[in-house]
Amino acid sequence: MGAGAPNPLYSEYSILNSLKMVPLLLFYAFSVLVQGYNAELTLHPKTQFLFPEGKSLVLPEPSDYFSSQLVSTPLPTNSFFQNFVLKNGDQPEYIQPYLIRSANSSVSISYPSQNITSDFIEQIFRPDLTISASKNPKPNQRHVISSYSDLSVTLDLPSSNLRFFLVRGSPYLTFAVNGNTSISISTVDPIRKLSCDSSFTKYTIRLRNRQTWILYASSPIHLTDNVSTIKSGGFSGVIRIALLADSDSQFEKILDKCSLTYPVSGSAILGSFAIKYKWEVNGAGKLLMLAHPLHLRLLSKADASVTVLEDVKYSSMDGELVGVIGDTWDLEAESIPVSWHSIKGLNKKSIPEIIRALGNDVKTLNASNISATSSYFYGKLVARAARLALIAEEVSYPKITPVVVQFLKDMIEPWLNGTFGANGFFYDQKWGGLVTKHGLNDTAGDFGFGIYNDHHFHLGYYIYGISVLTRFDPAWGKRYKSQAYSLVEDYTNLGPKENQHYTRLRCFDLWKLHSWAAGLTEFPFGRNQESTSEAINAYYSAALMGSAYGDADLVSVGSTLAAFEIQSAQTWWHVKGDNEIYAPRFVKNNKVVGILWSRKRDSILWFAPAERKDIRLGIQVLPILPITEVVFSDVDYVKELVKWALTSVLKNRTEEGWKGFVYALEAIYKQKQALNKVRDLSSHDDGNSLSNLLWWIHSRK
């Protein structure tokens, strides 16, 4: 179902507001009943508002790599293939289970090995096979992205007459050859043996490095080889190449049997706490794909059209990739409660202490004294204040509410009406999305917001503040509704039918099932994300905004994305002692990943070394919210994590703020000890407050 009903509220206003939510929740329940649990989510068209157009001097030119029919539409800025459209377009991308690199009118495929230390795990790109046209009149011509979808990208090499269907999770590299073209396949390791079957449609390529690759052709093809190159005569048709990851004869038979059916694209349909994958396929037979560990956990057990092949496995730093037969998958996430207040309620005896802390925290609110101009740090101050209003509502202390509401108005309105002279939001026509004044001329401005870094992080804080303000002042919310939706749709838009001005789900990766934060920056290790908790906050806040505006669809979209983000965080960021995804050497030294890259796991942070375990924990916890309880529901893991982080806290005598997050998690299993530690703190991170920490600790039951 959708958002959970909030806990009992104490103020007269809150009771009234809760009653107003009843029709919304009944409507949402009815819509799920009628449409079905896995029905596709859509957002009803809103009055679409655009911030003033901004002319960026630092954004790359999308027309360098996207086909002409694509550049007129909003384009992805945090996608799994982003390296293909940045700078020279020649950095590898991880299209599970292979690394793919496109350069000089050729495509290289690598089944990556791993470099493993106690501080990081990284994939090593080595071009096992490189495919090109034998006679290319323009060998340096760039590739072109002719189409893309949630699960795939089509990459054309125009001068080579080659089109590659790069579909995530396919054990085959599939490409079409046009114009009776001669192809060349080169290797970095000597070819030990090239053999074919009697039909000349299947070749086995054995390399000196002990790899064996199988090549399948849609019609007879004649290949010859020398030490490191395989060449063909003229050919038109489809070729598929797959690594034989296991020498067992049954493994090869499965590859043979499924080689005739190939996907050309794949889409993901978002439902209520569910995603359906659908692949467009050519050829007769059954589609073989590979699922990562979270896929396997979420695959619907009731779907008889899907068969898991436990013996078909490829290695990956994301965990073993396991074979799945079926051209549609249904993934079902656990539903999560999205409520304004604590999930379990507060200890009534604690309310006086929380009220005292609220009074002190509210005294610090003065919009005229705010020096922050960064969209990130400014947004954190907005969200921090909004928490005070909700805590006051939960403890029935309405005295401070007018002060907080006015502060929020003074802080938020200048960003929505364009009167905050030091910074502001603008609309970029080139890629189709929001940028900031700081980011128009500086790639580092606002932590790269102007080149599409961290959009869900920054905007999530504003959306949280707007949601709370709308809850307490619906008339204000109505006045700024169009601007508010423009902010939230920058990262939650489901497609052009909902809002033609923004790309689809800017940050969220519907294959990995979590977000990426790095935008239009070329990185050798692909996209990355540091803070899962800030990503969760972005979607949780979107759900709250839907609640505040009576928009059941936005409630469902936000809560569904938050649920998948949570399960991804628990799968790939949270490193439990019994973790079987990462190598033991890394697991022993790390209880949480710092920066998770497409093809690397790092213990460092962008702003702190690996030794600062308290900060590494904190960046995966902030901001502390009711949803935090769901993220850290595994108490045994929390104990491991806190014990590990406390060794850093003891050494850290100067920065008090980050300690609060460690103590907050410690309160899950040692409430009194953590409470005493929090009371002794002299300062707090700007995304937190003493009253919020006390609220959290006193809501442990």
Side-chain angles (χ1 to χ4, degrees), residues 436-447:
T436 57
K437 182 178 180 180
H438 286 176
L440 289 175
N441 306 312
D442 181 6
T443 57
D446 291 328
F447 297 100

Side-chain angles (χ1 to χ4, degrees), residues 578-590:
D578 60 355
N579 184 286
E580 295 181 352
I581 291 178
Y582 302 135
R585 187 177 180 187
F586 183 81
V587 171
K588 183 179 179 180
N589 205 48
N590 300 277

Side-chain angles (χ1 to χ4, degrees), residues 98 170-172 202 212-216 240-246 248-261 286 288 290 309 312 314 325:
Y98 305 115
S170 174
Y172 309 85
K202 176 187 174 182
T212 298
W213 297 81
I214 310 294
L215 182 148
Y216 302 94
R240 310 193 76 192
I241 299 175
L243 178 81
L244 188 61
D246 191 315
D248 184 87
S249 60
Q250 287 300 118
F251 194 106
E252 184 171 351
K253 287 179 180 179
I254 292 172
L255 289 178
D256 291 348
K257 185 177 181 180
C258 297
S259 64
L260 297 177
T261 306
K286 296 182 178 180
L288 172 63
L290 302 173
L309 305 178
V312 176
Y314 286 75
I325 297 289

Side-chain angles (χ1 to χ4, degrees), residues 288-332:
L288 172 63
M289 300 295 289
L290 302 173
H292 59 56
L294 187 52
H295 287 149
L296 293 173
R297 194 154 70 246
L298 301 179
L299 269 173
S300 173
K301 305 298 187 292
D303 188 358
S305 65
V306 168
T307 303
V308 176
L309 305 178
E310 296 287 357
D311 293 332
V312 176
K313 294 181 179 179
Y314 286 75
S315 65
S316 161
M317 68 187 317
D318 295 315
E320 282 189 329
L321 307 177
V322 177
V324 176
I325 297 289
D327 56 14
T328 63
W329 298 358
D330 287 316
L331 307 177
E332 297 177 353

Side-chain angles (χ1 to χ4, degrees), residues 655-682:
E655 297 178 39
E656 289 278 289
W658 291 101
K659 294 180 180 180
F661 298 106
V662 182
Y663 301 151
L665 290 194
E666 189 178 24
I668 292 175
Y669 61 96
K670 283 186 177 180
Q671 187 180 34
K672 290 183 179 180
Q673 293 91 324
L675 180 60
N676 291 331
K677 292 176 182 178
V678 164
R679 287 168 174 161
D680 290 339
L681 288 175
S682 60

Side-chain angles (χ1 to χ4, degrees), residues 104-408:
N104 300 323
S105 287
S106 67
V107 165
S108 298
I109 180 171
S110 170
Y111 185 58
S113 58
Q114 296 181 13
N115 180 20
I116 301 169
T117 74
S118 59
D119 293 323
F120 62 84
I121 304 172
E122 63 183 17
Q123 289 179 331
I124 301 170
F125 174 79
R126 197 165 183 267
D128 296 316
L129 301 176
T130 298
I131 300 139
S132 62
S134 295
K135 297 178 181 179
N136 185 350
K138 298 179 180 179
N140 296 319
Q141 187 179 41
R142 287 177 167 177
H143 60 247
V144 174
I145 303 297
S146 57
S147 67
Y148 61 87
S149 63
D150 301 320
L151 310 178
S152 63
V153 59
T154 302
L155 187 147
D156 293 346
L157 304 182
S159 63
S160 301
N161 293 326
L162 301 179
R163 166 169 287 183
F164 289 82
F165 304 106
L166 304 178
V167 182
R168 307 171 82 181
S170 174
Y172 309 85
L173 173 67
T174 305
F175 59 98
V177 184
N178 298 312
N180 199 36
T181 299
S182 299
I183 65 168
S184 170
I185 303 175
S186 60
T187 72
V188 291
D189 286 290
I191 299 168
R192 188 160 57 90
K193 186 177 182 180
L194 176 69
S195 58
C196 68
D197 66 1
S198 59
S199 68
F200 295 98
T201 59
K202 176 187 174 182
Y203 283 79
T204 302
I205 306 167
R206 291 183 171 85
L207 303 181
R208 191 71 60 83
N209 66 357
R210 297 184 179 180
Q211 285 184 347
T212 298
W213 297 81
I214 310 294
L215 182 148
Y216 302 94
S218 59
S219 60
I221 184 172
H222 295 279
L223 302 179
T224 59
D225 69 295
N226 59 26
V227 175
S228 60
T229 304
I230 298 170
K231 292 194 174 184
S232 78
F235 178 80
S236 294
V238 174
I239 292 176
R240 310 193 76 192
I241 299 175
L243 178 81
L244 188 61
D246 191 315
S247 59
D248 184 87
S249 60
Q250 287 300 118
F251 194 106
E252 184 171 351
K253 287 179 180 179
I254 292 172
L255 289 178
D256 291 348
K257 185 177 181 180
C258 297
S259 64
L260 297 177
T261 306
Y262 62 95
V264 295
S265 67
S267 60
I269 302 167
L270 197 67
S272 175
F273 297 108
I275 292 177
K276 178 185 286 290
Y277 291 164
K278 296 181 70 174
W279 286 276
E280 179 186 347
V281 299
N282 289 340
K286 296 182 178 180
L287 179 65
L288 172 63
M289 300 295 289
L290 302 173
H292 59 56
L294 187 52
H295 287 149
L296 293 173
R297 194 154 70 246
L298 301 179
L299 269 173
S300 173
K301 305 298 187 292
D303 188 358
S305 65
V306 168
T307 303
V308 176
L309 305 178
E310 296 287 357
D311 293 332
V312 176
K313 294 181 179 179
Y314 286 75
S315 65
S316 161
M317 68 187 317
D318 295 315
E320 282 189 329
L321 307 177
V322 177
V324 176
I325 297 289
D327 56 14
T328 63
W329 298 358
D330 287 316
L331 307 177
E332 297 177 353
E334 294 180 13
S335 61
I336 58 171
V338 176
S339 60
W340 298 95
H341 296 149
S342 57
I343 295 173
K344 297 178 181 178
L346 288 169
N347 181 342
K348 292 183 179 180
K349 293 181 180 180
S350 68
I351 290 178
E353 181 179 23
I354 295 174
I355 288 176
R356 287 193 297 273
L358 277 171
N360 291 330
D361 287 333
V362 169
K363 289 178 184 178
T364 66
L365 300 182
N366 186 338
S368 62
N369 289 339
I370 300 299
S371 60
T373 61
S374 157
S375 57
Y376 176 71
F377 289 116
Y378 195 102
K380 287 180 74 173
L381 293 175
V382 166
R384 179 182 187 272
R387 284 293 306 137
L388 303 181
L390 290 178
I391 295 169
E393 184 180 54
E394 189 169 358
V395 300
S396 192
Y397 187 57
K399 178 180 178 180
I400 67 166
T401 303
V403 177
V404 179
V405 166
Q406 188 58 51
F407 176 82
L408 290 174

Side-chain angles (χ1 to χ4, degrees), residues 550-699:
D551 184 343
D553 293 318
L554 184 55
V555 171
S556 191
V557 169
S559 55
T560 296
L561 294 175
F564 281 111
E565 193 84 42
I566 288 170
Q567 294 200 256
S568 287
Q570 294 169 341
T571 301
W572 288 299
W573 272 266
H574 297 181
V575 185
K576 303 176 185 179
D578 60 355
N579 184 286
E580 295 181 352
I581 291 178
Y582 302 135
R585 187 177 180 187
F586 183 81
V587 171
K588 183 179 179 180
N589 205 48
N590 300 277
K591 292 302 173 188
V592 67
V593 172
I595 304 172
L596 186 142
W597 301 77
S598 173
R599 61 188 194 94
K600 186 180 183 182
R601 303 293 182 265
D602 238 328
S603 59
I604 64 170
L605 301 173
W606 286 110
F607 62 102
E611 292 74 23
R612 288 302 304 271
K613 298 174 183 177
D614 54 333
I615 299 181
R616 210 191 319 172
L617 176 149
I619 202 64
Q620 303 299 343
V621 177
L622 66 84
I624 295 176
L625 300 163
I627 200 69
T628 306
E629 185 165 332
V630 180
V631 182
F632 293 95
S633 57
D634 186 334
V635 178
D636 289 337
Y637 168 65
V638 170
K639 290 178 180 178
E640 289 183 50
L641 178 62
V642 171
K643 181 180 178 181
W644 170 82
L646 281 173
T647 61
S648 179
V649 167
L650 296 175
K651 298 175 183 177
N652 170 25
R653 303 289 183 183
T654 57
E655 297 178 39
E656 289 278 289
W658 291 101
K659 294 180 180 180
F661 298 106
V662 182
Y663 301 151
L665 290 194
E666 189 178 24
I668 292 175
Y669 61 96
K670 283 186 177 180
Q671 187 180 34
K672 290 183 179 180
Q673 293 91 324
L675 180 60
N676 291 331
K677 292 176 182 178
V678 164
R679 287 168 174 161
D680 290 339
L681 288 175
S682 60
S683 65
H684 302 89
D685 175 78
D686 59 4
N688 214 346
S689 64
L690 178 58
S691 55
N692 194 35
L693 281 171
L694 292 173
W695 161 85
W696 166 264
I697 293 174
H698 287 302
S699 65

Side-chain angles (χ1 to χ4, degrees), residues 7-63:
N7 285 323
L9 309 179
Y10 300 102
S11 69
E12 181 179 348
Y13 166 80
S14 300
I15 294 172
L16 178 61
N17 197 67
S18 295
L19 292 175
K20 289 179 180 179
M21 281 297 296
V22 171
L24 168 64
L25 295 173
L26 290 175
F27 166 75
Y28 180 58
F30 175 75
S31 67
V32 170
L33 177 65
V34 172
Q35 299 179 53
Y37 181 74
N38 293 325
E40 181 176 3
L41 296 179
T42 58
L43 294 181
H44 299 302
K46 308 296 183 305
T47 302
Q48 293 181 2
F49 169 88
L50 278 185
F51 286 90
E53 184 177 352
K55 296 292 186 181
S56 173
L57 300 180
V58 296
L59 281 169
E61 178 54 58
S63 62

